Amino acid sequence: MTQNVEKVLISQEELAKITEKLGKQITEDYKDSKKPIICIVILKGSLLFAADLIRHIDLPLELEFMKVSSYGAGTKNSGEIKIHLDLMREHLEKYNLIIIEDIVDSGRTLARLTQLLKNRNANSVKTCTLLDKPSRREVDFVPDYCGRTIPDEFVIGYGLDYDEKYRNLPYVGVLKPEVYS
Ligand code: IMP
Ligand code: MG
């Protein structure tokens, strides 16, 4: 598996520091809010990130999952996002929602999800992404919390996949371009 990795972009140690920092920042920002948090984990890519992040959020918190897709086997965004698993919750006005995502690319997925959940009258909706590739943005979207800004390279590992593989790498790596070209 590692033979297809060109380089390690973010090591396990760095990932641990990033999740700790973000978790503490979220704790600080929400500590005076009277409403509990629902962390919405976007499957499947943000599973590992979310698991590490929520252990650093020292506040009442509930966990939910959504599954959306914008990518198939390729590395190019197909445009529209599709909701495969929706949030099975009512009375979102009682909660502060934090959407947890692995990576922001064109920005379409999180721009759409944020709007959708705001339309359901959540008390607040914020986004927390491990990675951001701002140079790839196609819509006006800025995440509220971001672990690391990265250049326009296709990354894998720590939950992120190429064609459903490499999610189990413990670090974030750059895939060798010959694997997908
Ligand atoms: P967006 O809607 O274009 O922002 O797409 C974000 C989604 O694209 C992420 O949740 C990932 O599933 C996928 N994605 C974007 N860039 C990468 C990458 O470098 N590696 C793996 N998945 C990626
Ligand atoms: Mg994803």
Side-chain angles (χ1 to χ4, degrees):
M1 196 164 61
T2 51
Q3 77 212 15
N4 291 334
V5 179
E6 189 158 270
K7 64 169 186 249
V8 176
L9 196 64
I10 312 177
S11 69
Q12 273 179 274
E13 293 72 25
E14 288 174 290
L15 287 167
K17 282 187 196 141
I18 289 171
T19 51
E20 183 177 354
K21 190 172 165 211
L22 287 174
K24 285 186 170 161
Q25 200 183 332
I26 290 171
T27 306
E28 187 57 32
D29 292 353
Y30 286 84
K31 70 177 192 306
D32 296 325
S33 174
K34 295 192 172 48
K35 302 199 173 179
I37 296 168
I38 299 180
C39 281
I40 302 176
V41 183
I42 306 305
L43 298 172
K44 305 169 202 168
S46 52
L47 179 73
L48 278 72
F49 170 48
D52 287 339
L53 175 72
I54 62 167
R55 281 179 271 189
H56 292 291
I57 303 177
D58 188 16
L59 291 171
L61 177 156
E62 296 176 30
L63 206 55
E64 290 290 341
F65 298 90
M66 286 183 81
K67 188 165 191 282
V68 300
S69 69
S70 59
Y71 270 69
T75 56
K76 269 214 159 228
N77 194 323
S78 55
E80 281 294 290
I81 66 157
K82 225 173 153 177
I83 297 183
H84 301 279
L85 173 71
D86 204 348
L87 195 62
M88 307 292 273
R89 297 287 285 235
E90 287 178 342
H91 303 297
L92 293 183
E93 69 281 356
K94 294 182 186 161
Y95 296 96
N96 295 315
L97 307 185
I98 303 177
I99 305 171
I100 304 182
E101 176 64 304
D102 51 2
I103 186 165
V104 183
D105 189 70
S106 72
R108 289 182 196 281
T109 307
L110 282 191
R112 258 192 73 171
L113 262 183
T114 305
Q115 200 49 56
L116 188 127
L117 294 168
K118 280 185 177 163
N119 290 345
R120 294 183 191 175
N121 297 321
N123 185 59
S124 71
V125 183
K126 286 198 177 181
T127 53
C128 177
T129 185
L130 173 66
L131 306 172
D132 189 6
K133 290 192 220 174
S135 64
R136 299 259 309 164
R137 206 66 98 248
E138 291 169 19
V139 295
D140 189 18
F141 176 82
V142 182
D144 298 291
Y145 300 96
C146 171
R148 178 80 73 84
T149 296
I150 62 165
D152 181 11
E153 286 176 305
F154 198 81
V155 290
I156 44 152
Y158 195 58
L160 290 129
D161 75 306
Y162 170 67
D163 204 11
E164 294 303 328
K165 290 181 279 286
Y166 308 103
R167 295 192 197 275
N168 52 329
L169 288 174
Y171 51 81
V172 174
V174 176
L175 192 63
K176 284 184 180 164
E178 59 260 37
V179 178
Y180 54 83
S181 59

